Amino acid sequence: MSFIDDIIIGTEEEEEHDEIVKEVVKKLAENDLYMKLEKCKWKVRKVGFLGVVIGPEGIKIKEEKVKGVLD
């Protein structure tokens, strides 16, 4: 059995985002791949991923990762 841990969909416009999410969910279902809805985050402006924060300002290192260096 194989797992896809993370799918991140980023778009400029909310309407565009909804359409792309629908297409991704459709493609997953067509290929017998499913999501656990309780693990999903929908329409967030920022998301933590692999030690970074991805958001409208771009990709930034999580503050706690560099706190020791900054202090």
Side-chain angles (χ1 to χ4, degrees), residues 26-64:
K26 179 182 169 189
K27 292 292 183 185
L28 289 170
E30 287 173 356
N31 290 281
D32 296 323
L33 300 170
Y34 302 94
M35 304 174 296
K36 288 187 175 182
L37 294 178
E38 65 272 10
K39 289 187 166 188
C40 295
K41 295 180 182 180
W42 304 97
K43 295 187 179 186
V44 294
R45 302 286 300 158
K46 294 182 182 179
V47 63
F49 181 71
L50 297 176
V52 299
V53 176
I54 303 169
E57 303 85 28
I59 300 172
K60 296 183 177 183
I61 296 175
K62 285 186 178 180
E63 206 170 292
E64 61 266 16

Side-chain angles (χ1 to χ4, degrees), residues 1-28:
M1 186 178 298
S2 297
F3 295 93
I4 299 173
D5 286 336
D6 299 289
I7 299 174
I8 299 174
I9 301 170
T11 58
E12 294 291 326
E13 302 294 328
E14 189 172 335
E15 187 175 297
E16 174 189 18
H17 181 78
D18 292 345
E19 291 302 316
I20 292 172
V21 169
K22 286 178 190 175
E23 187 64 27
V24 169
V25 171
K26 179 182 169 189
K27 292 292 183 185
L28 289 170

